Amino acid sequence: MGLVYRLFARPILALQDSEKVHLRTLKILRIMCSNPITRLPLKFLYKPKKKLEIDLFGHEYSHPFGLAAGMDKKAEALVGWETIGLGFIEVGGITQHEQDGNPKPRMFRSSSSRSLINRMGFNNPGSEKMAFTLQSHYEKHGKPKVPLWINLGKSKSTALDQSHTDYATSFERLWEYGDVFVINVSSPNTPNLRELQNDESLAKIIDSCQVINRMLAEKHNSSLKPILVKIAPELTDVQLETIVNTAMSCNCDGIVATNTTTSRPKSNSQSEQLVFEQKGGLSGKPLANKSTDFIKKIYSLTDGKWPIIGVGGIMNSDDAWEKITAGASLIQAYSGFVFEGAGLTKSVVNGLSKKLKQNGLSNISEAIGLSHKRNGD
Ligand SMILES: Cc1cc2nc3c(=O)[nH]c(=O)nc-3n(C[C@H](O)[C@H](O)[C@H](O)COP(=O)(O)O)c2cc1C
């Protein structure tokens, strides 16, 4: 199926505006999955039959491969992602206020380098409407059967020194709907957002969310929601260590590495060059090694004791294996679905399952950080 997608669908899609294709694809997925009869063939074709179970953040994941933030910003196709077999779904980024994002066009694709450049700028319905959407979804379909993660960003109109209120307001409005929350301080498309990665600002944002977390957990007589921080791949070793220490001391439950990069690979053609000249964050294959290096560093810094979510350039099971053995407990993709299609999940899960056997392992948890253990780090 992946081959059919690569040979026929991808070349046709490549001729069209990337954002329009994206919105149309989401709509088709939503419509096809709104009915149990049309859901069946999708489930049959795409849902992995193999299980690679892993327990994390108080939930059981049937396998470690999930949907990265930005793909379903408004939580429009939750049933669809479940149907095609994602292990977990991250929706958003959501900000306190509704916003349109940057002017279009703002998403560009280079098929030859399997990369995307985007400068969406957190186009999203805002956390109030998002809470309503999720409430309606839960009433109609029940809670998703896979863990639902919510990615939080900062509204462009909120002053940088008030960022903590923006994140905390969204967190409060969405608290009861999400299983895990990701504080995104790393998108390159909201002016100065990445400055929030400095320890003082980051601590203030996390602390503000943790106050709400304790209050709501007590009110609902339930446990605290796990909070993760998502980082940029443009950090020095010292900055990375500071962020890890800050996030851990503020009781964050883990880290997502990484967001898109502002750097550009060498281009091999004029068409690549035209895409790479666009402003914004680059994702996909050229990001893979950089994000894996960050995973390795974080794993070493934390002695493998703090969950890392690996994202960046996963296009197949080899890429997924690299991230897990570098230290990621769970992995995610966005660009991989654009270039490989909906069959990516099944091929990653089947491939990982084979690699476990080849390495004489019985459980995916045993593969986490394996490359460090083998190197005697
Ligand atoms: C169009 C687009 C929008 C994105 N929006 C968000 C977002 O709102 N929040 C976020 O944390 N990451 C966002 N990302 C980053 C992805 O979640 C992911 O970290 C990045 O694309 C690297 O993964 P990939 O190489 O598999 O695409 C976005 C990426 C793309 C391509």
Side-chain angles (χ1 to χ4, degrees), residues 59-336:
H59 293 273
E60 187 169 287
Y61 294 74
S62 60
H63 61 77
F65 189 47
L67 185 74
M71 177 69 95
D72 193 356
K73 285 190 182 267
K74 301 190 206 166
E76 288 175 275
L78 293 181
V79 179
W81 305 119
E82 244 182 87
T83 305
I84 64 169
L86 274 300
F88 61 106
I89 309 163
E90 184 169 340
V91 295
I94 297 295
T95 56
Q96 179 181 355
H97 304 292
E98 179 171 11
Q99 50 187 38
D100 291 336
N102 290 323
K104 295 175 186 171
R106 52 194 179 178
M107 190 173 172
F108 309 88
R109 181 179 42 211
S110 161
S111 297
S112 55
S113 64
R114 286 192 285 168
S115 60
L116 299 172
I117 288 182
N118 91 83
R119 49 170 180 268
M120 306 302 284
F122 286 147
N123 54 311
N124 82 99
S127 45
E128 197 171 353
K129 277 195 187 156
M130 185 66 160
F132 180 75
T133 301
L134 292 175
Q135 174 70 34
S136 313
H137 181 88
Y138 288 13
E139 278 165 14
K140 198 165 164 206
H141 302 279
K143 241 189 132 273
K145 287 169 203 70
V146 298
L148 182 76
W149 293 23
I150 301 180
N151 183 282
L152 303 179
K154 180 192 87 72
S155 313
K156 192 175 177 185
S157 60
T158 299
L160 214 57
D161 64 357
Q162 290 306 309
S163 302
H164 57 292
T165 59
D166 201 285
Y167 285 94
T169 306
S170 296
F171 181 63
E172 183 168 12
R173 287 173 176 164
L174 296 169
W175 188 89
E176 62 180 293
Y177 305 106
D179 295 311
V180 173
F181 288 83
V182 178
I183 295 180
N184 170 19
V185 279
S186 48
S187 282
N189 303 313
T190 293
N192 308 322
L193 187 85
R194 288 179 167 194
E195 286 176 24
L196 298 175
Q197 294 178 119
N198 83 49
D199 55 342
E200 219 175 282
S201 308
L202 185 60
K204 207 165 169 189
I205 293 168
I206 304 169
D207 285 344
S208 303
C209 291
Q210 293 291 21
V211 169
I212 307 278
N213 207 4
R214 285 190 290 275
M215 186 185 83
L216 292 178
E218 200 172 308
K219 181 174 160 200
H220 293 271
N221 198 16
S222 81
S223 44
L224 296 171
K225 299 281 174 153
I227 297 179
L228 317 178
V229 173
K230 184 165 179 180
I231 55 165
E234 277 81 34
L235 294 171
T236 64
D237 287 355
V238 174
Q239 286 170 322
L240 179 63
E241 193 169 349
T242 309
I243 290 177
V244 168
N245 288 338
T246 305
M248 286 179 95
S249 64
C250 295
N251 296 320
C252 268
D253 298 84
I255 192 156
V256 184
T258 67
N259 213 314
T260 55
T261 176
T262 48
S263 70
R264 298 288 183 265
K266 204 172 120 328
S267 61
N268 291 312
S269 66
Q270 209 184 349
S271 62
E272 266 180 26
Q273 184 56 32
L274 284 174
V275 173
F276 293 167
E277 276 169 7
Q278 294 293 337
K279 267 199 181 150
L282 177 131
S283 58
K285 194 69 196 159
L287 177 61
N289 289 341
K290 210 171 190 177
S291 84
T292 305
D293 282 348
F294 268 64
I295 295 167
K296 282 187 189 147
K297 284 182 191 167
I298 301 165
Y299 188 89
S300 298
L301 278 172
T302 57
D303 290 329
K305 293 197 178 104
W306 202 47
I308 304 166
I309 316 311
V311 53
I314 298 180
M315 300 281 156
N316 52 45
S317 58
D318 290 339
D319 300 331
W321 181 251
E322 278 207 356
K323 293 232 177 334
I324 293 172
T325 54
S329 297
L330 297 173
I331 46 175
Q332 303 176 294
Y334 182 133
S335 308

Side-chain angles (χ1 to χ4, degrees), residues 81 125 280 307 340 362:
W81 305 119
E340 304 299 323
S362 54

